[in-house]
Amino acid sequence: MIAAATAAALAASALLPSAAEAAPAATPAKACATKWKAKKRVAVRRPGPNDGPVATMRSPIHHHLRKGQVVRSCVVAVDRTVSGPAYRACGGEGHVWRIVPGGQVPQSCLKRL
């Protein structure tokens, strides 16, 4: 009886593909390709020690983007406030900060290419 069960298990494993064989090949993740252009000279800010994960208009400045400078950004940081917008910059207001190399920039200061 044990021999028959073993033979049945071997036959089943030969007929059915394993999980690794049945799963499709994983596709590699795409690199960030979303480009943004600075509308005007704008400060790239890094969150301060008491700011949490999202920068504020009072956060320390890391460097500046020149007008027309192109940066890559695929991730946003959302800063919700109790009342009113989180920032007023570049002729707009909002609560979405684009994460760029070196820090964060208000999205209203960038134009998507």
Side-chain angles (χ1 to χ4, degrees), residues 1-77:
M1 181 154 156
I2 295 175
T6 305
L10 288 174
S13 67
L15 295 175
L16 298 175
S18 67
E21 294 170 355
T27 58
K30 290 183 179 180
C32 176
T34 308
K35 292 183 180 180
W36 297 79
K37 181 178 177 180
K39 291 181 179 178
K40 63 183 215 175
R41 185 174 187 256
V42 60
V44 177
R45 299 181 180 273
R46 297 193 93 155
N50 297 325
D51 289 341
V54 183
T56 65
M57 293 307 286
R58 294 186 181 109
S59 296
I61 296 173
H62 184 264
H63 65 279
H64 287 86
L65 295 179
R66 296 179 313 274
K67 179 181 178 180
Q69 184 174 350
V70 176
V71 292
R72 292 182 191 266
S73 174
C74 293
V75 182
V76 297

